[in-house]
Amino acid sequence: MIASPPDLKLRRIIADFPILAKRTRRGKRLIYLDSAATSQKPQVVIDALVEYYSSYNANIHRGVYEIAERATTAFEDARAKVAAFINAPQSAELIFTRGATESINLVSHSWGLQNLKPGDAILTTQLEHHSNLVPWQVLAERTGAQLRYIPVDGRGEHVLDKLDELLSGVKLVALSHVSNSLGTIAPLEIIIPRAHAVGAIVLVDGAQSAPNMPVDVQALDADFFAASGHKMCGPTGIGFLYGKRALLEKMPPFLAGGDMIKKVTYEGTTFNELPWKFEAGTGNVAGAIGLGAAVDYLQGLDMEWVRAHERSLMCYAFARFDELATRGLQVYGPHDRDRVADVISFNFSDVHPHDLASILDTEGVAIRAGHHCTMPLMEKMGWPATARASFYLYNSEEDVDALMDGLEKAASVFNLR
Amino acid sequence: MIASPPDLKLRRIIADFPILAKRTRRGKRLIYLDSAATSQKPQVVIDALVEYYSSYNANIHRGVYEIAERATTAFEDARAKVAAFINAPQSAELIFTRGATESINLVSHSWGLQNLKPGDAILTTQLEHHSNLVPWQVLAERTGAQLRYIPVDGRGEHVLDKLDELLSGVKLVALSHVSNSLGTIAPLEIIIPRAHAVGAIVLVDGAQSAPNMPVDVQALDADFFAASGHKMCGPTGIGFLYGKRALLEKMPPFLAGGDMIKKVTYEGTTFNELPWKFEAGTGNVAGAIGLGAAVDYLQGLDMEWVRAHERSLMCYAFARFDELATRGLQVYGPHDRDRVADVISFNFSDVHPHDLASILDTEGVAIRAGHHCTMPLMEKMGWPATARASFYLYNSEEDVDALMDGLEKAASVFNLR
Amino acid sequence: MEDFYKEYILDHYRNPRNFGHLDAPDASAEDLNPLCGDEIRMELQVRDGRVLDVRFSGKGCAISQASASMLTQTIKGERLEDIARLSKDVVLENVGIGISPTRMKCAMLGLKVLKSAALGEIASWPDDDPHTASV
Amino acid sequence: MEDFYKEYILDHYRNPRNFGHLDAPDASAEDLNPLCGDEIRMELQVRDGRVLDVRFSGKGCAISQASASMLTQTIKGERLEDIARLSKDVVLENVGIGISPTRMKCAMLGLKVLKSAALGEIASWPDDDPHTASV
Ligand SMILES: Cc1ncc(COP(=O)(O)O)c(C=O)c1O
Ligand SMILES: Cc1ncc(COP(=O)(O)O)c(C=O)c1O
């Protein structure tokens, strides 16, 4: 196969990302294939941060002077943009957090401690990121609820045969939209209605879907949706939780402090309205504004295009990986191109993924190696670790070729035939 | 009195802050007197963020490729810098959070729920920020512990007459080092040893002290120390909690997710070592690196100088405010210049602080008006609201003069004699 | 912003109209602006679905107090359902021009409380808009 | 980095020395590198305070396994207290050059576990430094 050179749109996109023009210490082009860990940032996002800090940096919500007004407006506009990005009905349903992990913890502490009791069950899956697993383990332990897993098969696809059984007594289903270690796209269209049918609510961990495909929380009918800004072209330290208003209204606050209260006396406190009830203390103002700029950028590209671009890159990568199958390259995850998103996990003969990643690094190719924060899945599958390449909107088929060249180098270092 | 023009050092500092060179919409110079809400950022901090995002943006701790190594090193170096800034014995005792509010909530959820029971008491003061008050109200309610207040007198100074009585049965004392609404510097040198004598631990809310004076957590013998980066020249969305290792080791994690675990199975979890045990999920990497740059900047200026500079500005401001005393300007807070930091709260005749702030804004003077997140204190004092000017390292006596001119304008708008 | 503090605003601030309490109000509500601490209470005397009399009380800035004071003059004789549907324009017209976004809640607090009294439940901020969380 | 994967590293990786278990170890420890999942177990047979025999087991990358393997060859006959005091240099000398900060823990895991076994308690990472939280 021969890589198609980047077309005009892709070339323009690549030029939007200053880091992609940099060279590594060894003078190599940076082939960044670790966007599932964190994405690179376009210049417009960096500019939004610089503009905030150099022109209207101020604390929000309380200041009546010009830059405080401007900061407040920009912050709340960013909320509205992110809400619109996932088609949330109201921006009051969009809570800024540090990231997906904090969003999930907010639900486990606030909704979870309030609503679960012994005899109840929480249902998740076998391929969750630790951030969507450990909070539920902790919650189950605290409340006496039972934690159950939707199994996945050897290719990391959800096995729904026993879903009815698994759902009995379930109050909350928490699952990732897209798996960060295998790329599996969850069959939410089946699971969510069935969960609702038994009266359970559903939290969707969208850390890997929000960056890579159009998301419509109303069409999904998700009760909660969590994601991280840093994986979707935004700054670090900002993310969000969407929640249906009816649920959020009834939940107690999570963190306590400034901004989440309406009235405080020495004797007690009245809490603020949504969304601020859940935003205690000074938030990541610059981060939120940067995320607003990121969302503008993504919408400018069109999320349908992003998904299609990544899908075609994945097809190209799968085809090229086939060339190394006879020399011990094993690819994990779903075969069906429509059920897998931006991630390929693999192993190459007896070369440990860490060693592979180190060797690829000498060629400027950045991939991830390890358990990808999905230790139980790795253990179940019997993989001590995998190498993972993940693709984003700025990657090209040439990047896949560079990865292939790196694999050839590893083969020669490790004397593979 | 006549303002001294900024000396060379101060002029250089002012030039370090790009926002201070900007003009307001009305073409006025920005006189920023709201640093207690959030500080402005020097160019070096903005540059550190831009450098990270444009040259080595990567997720930390797990990547073995070049930019991930660089990001990890920069992040952990920042931790070491911040630890050194407050003289923490080990950087493993320094946990990155979103800010002081999250730091305090971490202690209330983790240490508090583990250690408090009915019959125990929590002691705080009457002048706390909501962020150091509401978490203890919530904790008291959850655990059945009693919440008590060290009273303050009419000038906002701590009344310690009954300290022994107040301390009986106390397990935790939580108080601010410097009050954000009155500038009162707490007598920690008296309170901390007496708290320790009864076996209580002490959390110091350093949100207003870390930016403005040298802090030595070992000399203070604080058990916990919380602060926010955005108030000390750093980015938004980053702050820290210092805790003595012996305490942190015994505490359960707060948030659950990636990075805070050592081993996860479907059945349960082993938690990670300090400080990562308390840092679940992807942190604010750029924010931490920016805070490291801020701390370098502050140490370059010398925190003794910062405190002396602000003290002298406060003296000048007090003297100038005296000129308006006969026309109804009332200044709140301690008289003793050694017991008050960077904040002056005041009221001007029957001009409501909000109206005052709006009028000052037309002159480019940014002050805060309201309850400053200390509603119970305001209620106790009988002030519906106050106006607050706060000073930082980039303010000059000329800024105080601009504030005075603005007050004159307000007097004329409101027809004050 | 300058022309914001017109003479009549100061006048309503210093001499609020319909200030105080009714003996036996048929409807009432109170609320505060959490961002600045302004407080307003509205009490209504209602006959045949129309406001016969009104009193307000509270404390806060000139904008919040003057706009509440002016509002009480506007609504006498109005039907409760019309009051519940009042838009923020009535306040903006009363106070004149130039209210910045953050101070909008100061201006609208009186209207919010009045609508709550008329509705018998807590009204939302008059400037609420689904995709722009108001401040 | 290239010269990192010397022939002898691959040799120790593919043919680890002293791999396996002792029948009745006098001391043992195991640990993992939470950042990548490498696992090492060390078992010691001790006589008169000196290591008479040693076995290691585990799984992980070439760096972690080869450095553990080489370490087992270095420490036979050594006194436990000396082992507890070993610095990371011994590992760095064994593996050669060029370990990047993140992979340092891969290289040091074997030493950490060995020191834990010698100490009878969990040792800290050999590269710990009070003001530089190691990764
Ligand atoms: C004394 C004090 N404590 C706590 C806080 C809360 O800080 P943050 O909002 O950054 O979490 C503040 C900030 O206003 C403060 O002044
Ligand atoms: C599926 C999934 N969920 C949750 C997370 C946690 O996101 P964060 O670390 O940004 O909180 C990640 C990030 O790796 C992820 O991939």
Side-chain angles (χ1 to χ4, degrees):
Chain A
M1 278 195 91
I2 292 178
S4 329
D7 64 11
L8 183 61
K9 176 163 184 172
L10 185 53
R11 269 183 286 141
R12 287 217 175 113
I13 291 173
I14 292 168
D16 287 336
F17 289 78
I19 201 171
L20 300 179
K22 297 275 154 67
R23 296 260 146 185
T24 69
R25 244 176 263 138
R26 287 184 180 77
K28 310 276 176 178
R29 183 165 81 81
L30 173 64
I31 318 289
Y32 187 71
L33 300 177
D34 197 18
S35 297
T38 198
S39 78
Q40 295 305 335
K41 320 301 173 201
Q43 190 65 46
V44 283
V45 169
I46 301 172
D47 289 347
L49 299 174
V50 171
E51 171 72 2
Y52 168 73
Y53 285 126
S54 351
S55 299
Y56 64 102
N57 171 73
N59 211 326
I60 53 170
H61 291 157
R62 243 171 284 273
V64 303
Y65 47 87
E66 185 174 310
I67 54 173
E69 298 265 2
R70 199 176 150 200
T72 301
T73 304
F75 181 82
E76 295 298 339
D77 280 356
R79 188 195 305 279
K81 286 176 192 180
V82 177
F85 183 71
I86 57 165
N87 197 30
Q90 304 169 14
S91 56
E93 297 173 316
L94 200 292
I95 297 154
F96 282 125
T97 62
R98 180 170 38 245
T101 302
E102 192 190 10
S103 301
I104 295 165
N105 276 270
L106 193 165
V107 176
S108 78
H109 278 83
S110 172
W111 187 91
L113 292 176
Q114 186 181 42
N115 288 286
L116 292 183
K117 50 180 195 319
D120 290 338
I122 307 166
L123 182 60
T124 179
T125 83
Q126 283 184 330
L127 47 59
E128 298 308 313
H129 188 280
H130 295 161
S131 290
N132 195 30
L133 173 54
V134 186
W136 310 121
Q137 292 185 333
V138 172
L139 179 65
E141 206 178 291
R142 279 217 204 166
T143 58
Q146 193 196 19
L147 184 58
R148 294 185 201 145
Y149 298 92
I150 296 176
V152 296
D153 63 20
R155 300 226 62 92
E157 296 201 65
H158 300 74
V159 178
L160 301 182
D161 306 352
K162 308 225 164 107
L163 187 57
D164 285 332
E165 222 167 283
L166 283 168
L167 274 170
S168 107
V170 166
K171 291 283 180 310
L172 172 80
V173 180
L175 81 173
S176 51
H177 198 168
V178 170
S179 149
N180 70 303
S181 52
L182 295 174
T184 316
I185 300 175
L188 295 182
E189 65 289 353
I190 301 175
I191 297 174
I192 293 181
R194 303 239 319 248
H196 285 162
V198 303
I201 62 160
V202 181
L203 176 141
V204 176
D205 171 0
Q208 296 294 341
S209 63
N212 296 303
M213 54 185 64
V215 167
D216 180 336
V217 292
Q218 294 188 68
L220 288 175
D221 201 13
D223 299 288
F224 294 109
F225 185 91
S228 295
H230 70 93
K231 294 187 201 277
M232 47 195 284
C233 295
T236 59
I238 190 78
F240 60 88
L241 174 70
Y242 156 80
K244 285 184 184 163
R245 179 170 217 140
L247 287 166
L248 293 176
E249 294 276 11
K250 275 187 270 170
M251 285 157 57
F254 173 37
L255 301 188
D259 253 13
M260 52 67 77
I261 49 81
K262 187 156 189 173
K263 179 150 193 161
V264 185
T265 66
Y266 293 125
E267 290 72 39
T269 292
T270 323
F271 299 116
N272 203 348
E273 294 159 31
L274 290 175
W276 307 290
K277 176 169 113 179
F278 292 105
E279 293 179 355
T282 303
N284 189 350
V285 181
I289 292 170
L291 179 56
V295 152
D296 279 345
Y297 180 78
L298 291 173
Q299 278 184 323
L301 298 182
D302 178 5
M303 291 306 294
E304 293 286 1
W305 178 88
V306 172
R307 168 69 183 136
H309 173 68
E310 291 174 20
R311 193 182 181 288
S312 104
L313 272 182
M314 289 284 288
C315 288
Y316 181 74
F318 281 129
R320 293 245 32 206
F321 273 27
D322 275 350
E323 298 168 19
L324 291 175
T326 53
R327 291 161 74 193
L329 193 98
Q330 277 192 288
V331 172
Y332 310 124
H335 274 314
D336 178 349
R337 304 304 183 246
D338 290 322
R339 298 235 59 93
V340 63
D342 56 303
V343 161
I344 305 187
S345 255
F346 59 96
N347 256 312
F348 193 18
S349 186
D350 75 340
V351 186
H352 191 280
H354 265 108
D355 300 314
L356 197 57
S358 284
I359 294 168
L360 287 170
D361 176 49
T362 62
E363 298 296 308
V365 179
I367 65 157
R368 180 126 314 205
H371 50 65
H372 318 296
C373 288
T374 56
M375 279 191 187
L377 176 70
M378 307 298 278
E379 185 136 352
K380 170 196 155 81
M381 297 293 199
W383 311 322
T386 75
R388 182 188 76 182
S390 54
F391 302 103
Y392 205 23
L393 40 86
Y394 37 67
N395 290 120
S396 66
E397 296 189 356
E398 290 172 353
D399 293 345
V400 177
D401 287 357
L403 170 60
M404 290 297 292
D405 294 345
L407 292 175
E408 287 292 353
K409 178 172 176 184
S412 101
V413 171
F414 271 75
N415 309 317
L416 303 184
R417 249 143 299 180
Chain B
M1 277 196 90
I2 293 177
S4 328
D7 63 11
L8 184 61
K9 176 163 184 171
L10 185 53
R11 269 183 286 141
R12 288 215 174 114
I13 291 172
I14 292 169
D16 288 337
F17 289 78
I19 202 172
L20 300 180
K22 299 274 154 68
R23 296 261 147 185
T24 70
R25 246 176 261 140
R26 286 185 180 77
K28 308 278 176 176
R29 184 165 81 81
L30 172 64
I31 317 289
Y32 187 70
L33 300 178
D34 197 17
S35 297
T38 198
S39 77
Q40 295 305 334
K41 320 302 174 200
Q43 190 64 47
V44 285
V45 168
I46 302 172
D47 289 347
L49 299 174
V50 171
E51 171 73 4
Y52 168 73
Y53 286 126
S54 350
S55 299
Y56 63 103
N57 170 73
N59 212 325
I60 52 170
H61 291 158
R62 244 171 284 272
V64 305
Y65 48 86
E66 185 175 308
I67 54 174
E69 297 266 2
R70 203 177 147 199
T72 302
T73 304
F75 181 82
E76 294 298 340
D77 281 355
R79 189 195 304 281
K81 285 177 192 180
V82 178
F85 184 72
I86 57 164
N87 197 29
Q90 305 168 15
S91 55
E93 297 172 316
L94 199 293
I95 297 155
F96 281 124
T97 62
R98 178 169 40 246
T101 301
E102 191 190 9
S103 301
I104 294 165
N105 276 271
L106 193 164
V107 175
S108 77
H109 278 84
S110 172
W111 187 91
L113 292 176
Q114 187 181 43
N115 288 284
L116 292 183
K117 49 178 197 323
D120 291 338
I122 306 166
L123 182 60
T124 180
T125 82
Q126 284 183 330
L127 46 58
E128 298 308 313
H129 189 281
H130 295 161
S131 289
N132 195 31
L133 173 54
V134 186
W136 310 122
Q137 292 183 333
V138 172
L139 179 65
E141 205 177 293
R142 278 217 203 166
T143 59
Q146 192 196 19
L147 183 58
R148 293 184 204 147
Y149 298 91
I150 296 177
V152 296
D153 63 19
R155 299 227 62 93
E157 298 202 61
H158 301 73
V159 178
L160 301 182
D161 305 352
K162 306 224 164 106
L163 187 57
D164 285 332
E165 221 167 283
L166 284 168
L167 274 170
S168 108
V170 166
K171 290 282 180 313
L172 172 79
V173 180
L175 81 175
S176 53
H177 198 168
V178 169
S179 149
N180 70 302
S181 52
L182 295 174
T184 316
I185 301 174
L188 296 181
E189 65 291 353
I190 301 175
I191 296 174
I192 294 183
R194 298 222 346 231
H196 285 163
V198 302
I201 63 159
V202 181
L203 175 141
V204 176
D205 171 0
Q208 295 295 342
S209 63
N212 297 302
M213 54 184 64
V215 167
D216 181 336
V217 291
Q218 294 188 68
L220 288 175
D221 201 14
D223 299 287
F224 292 108
F225 185 91
S228 295
H230 69 93
K231 292 187 202 278
M232 47 194 284
C233 294
T236 58
I238 190 78
F240 61 88
L241 174 70
Y242 156 80
K244 285 183 182 163
R245 182 182 268 264
L247 288 166
L248 293 175
E249 294 276 12
K250 274 186 270 170
M251 284 157 58
F254 174 36
L255 300 187
D259 254 14
M260 52 68 76
I261 49 82
K262 186 158 190 170
K263 180 153 193 160
V264 184
T265 65
Y266 292 125
E267 291 72 41
T269 291
T270 324
F271 298 116
N272 202 347
E273 295 161 30
L274 289 175
W276 306 291
K277 177 168 110 179
F278 293 105
E279 293 179 357
T282 304
N284 189 349
V285 181
I289 292 170
L291 180 55
V295 151
D296 279 345
Y297 180 78
L298 291 173
Q299 277 184 325
L301 297 183
D302 178 5
M303 290 305 292
E304 293 286 0
W305 178 88
V306 172
R307 167 69 182 136
H309 172 69
E310 290 174 20
R311 192 181 182 289
S312 105
L313 271 183
M314 289 285 287
C315 289
Y316 181 74
F318 280 129
R320 293 244 35 203
F321 274 27
D322 276 349
E323 298 169 19
L324 291 175
T326 54
R327 293 161 73 192
L329 193 98
Q330 277 192 288
V331 173
Y332 309 124
H335 274 313
D336 179 348
R337 303 305 182 245
D338 290 322
R339 298 235 61 92
V340 63
D342 54 304
V343 162
I344 305 187
S345 254
F346 59 96
N347 257 311
F348 193 17
S349 185
D350 76 340
V351 186
H352 191 279
H354 267 108
D355 300 313
L356 197 57
S358 285
I359 294 167
L360 287 170
D361 176 47
T362 63
E363 298 296 309
V365 179
I367 65 157
R368 180 125 313 204
H371 49 64
H372 318 296
C373 288
T374 55
M375 279 191 186
L377 176 71
M378 307 298 278
E379 184 136 350
K380 171 196 154 80
M381 296 294 199
W383 311 323
T386 75
R388 181 187 77 183
S390 54
F391 302 104
Y392 205 24
L393 39 85
Y394 36 67
N395 290 119
S396 67
E397 296 189 358
E398 290 171 353
D399 293 345
V400 177
D401 287 357
L403 169 60
M404 290 296 291
D405 294 345
L407 292 175
E408 287 291 352
K409 178 172 176 184
S412 101
V413 171
F414 271 75
N415 308 317
L416 302 183
R417 248 142 300 175
Chain C
M1 182 63 72
E2 263 95 333
D3 39 1
F4 192 68
Y5 287 94
K6 298 227 167 81
E7 270 306 322
Y8 60 82
I9 303 252
L10 294 182
D11 180 38
H12 275 274
Y13 174 49
R14 289 196 171 125
N15 310 297
R17 321 297 198 269
N18 299 309
F19 196 84
H21 298 278
L22 292 172
D23 281 342
D26 300 305
S28 70
E30 61 183 52
D31 207 346
L32 57 82
N33 180 348
L35 303 179
C36 65
D38 289 345
E39 291 180 16
I40 298 275
R41 177 175 173 81
M42 288 270 178
E43 300 174 1
L44 304 178
Q45 192 183 351
V46 184
R47 183 143 330 149
D48 298 335
R50 289 185 190 272
V51 172
L52 198 69
D53 204 359
V54 54
R55 289 287 182 286
F56 90 99
S57 52
K59 54 188 182 187
C61 62
I63 304 304
S64 69
Q65 303 302 304
S67 63
S69 169
M70 289 187 276
L71 201 55
T72 60
Q73 295 184 310
T74 320
I75 53 114
K76 273 196 201 162
E78 297 289 328
R79 303 182 56 82
L80 284 192
E81 3 170 341
D82 294 335
I83 289 179
R85 263 188 259 109
L86 278 179
S87 89
K88 63 180 175 175
D89 296 339
V90 59
V91 174
L92 294 181
E93 272 163 38
N94 278 343
V95 297
I97 47 152
I99 300 183
S100 67
T102 305
R103 301 223 46 203
M104 198 59 88
K105 282 202 167 165
C106 301
M108 295 303 157
L109 180 62
L111 179 58
K112 181 183 191 221
V113 173
L114 182 66
K115 292 171 89 164
S116 302
L119 278 167
E121 61 182 61
I122 295 172
S124 56
W125 286 98
D127 52 350
D128 258 5
D129 164 330
H131 266 114
T132 324
S134 59
V135 180
Chain D
M1 181 65 71
E2 263 94 336
D3 40 1
F4 192 67
Y5 287 93
K6 298 229 167 80
E7 270 306 324
Y8 60 81
I9 303 252
L10 294 182
D11 180 38
H12 275 273
Y13 174 51
R14 290 193 170 129
N15 310 297
R17 321 298 198 269
N18 300 308
F19 197 84
H21 297 279
L22 292 173
D23 280 342
D26 300 304
S28 70
E30 61 182 51
D31 206 345
L32 58 81
N33 180 349
L35 303 179
C36 63
D38 291 343
E39 291 181 16
I40 298 276
R41 178 177 171 80
M42 288 271 179
E43 300 174 2
L44 304 179
Q45 190 181 354
V46 183
R47 184 141 331 148
D48 299 335
R50 287 181 190 274
V51 172
L52 199 68
D53 205 358
V54 55
R55 289 287 181 287
F56 90 98
S57 51
K59 56 189 181 187
C61 62
I63 305 302
S64 70
Q65 304 302 305
S67 63
S69 168
M70 290 187 275
L71 200 56
T72 59
Q73 296 183 310
T74 321
I75 53 113
K76 275 198 200 162
E78 296 291 328
R79 303 182 57 81
L80 285 193
E81 22 199 298
D82 293 336
I83 288 177
R85 261 187 262 107
L86 278 178
S87 90
K88 61 180 176 175
D89 295 339
V90 59
V91 174
L92 295 181
E93 273 163 36
N94 279 343
V95 296
I97 46 153
I99 300 183
S100 67
T102 305
R103 302 225 44 203
M104 197 60 86
K105 281 201 168 166
C106 301
M108 295 303 157
L109 180 61
L111 179 58
K112 182 183 189 221
V113 173
L114 181 66
K115 292 170 87 164
S116 302
L119 278 167
E121 60 182 63
I122 295 171
S124 57
W125 287 98
D127 53 350
D128 258 4
D129 164 329
H131 268 114
T132 324
S134 57
V135 181

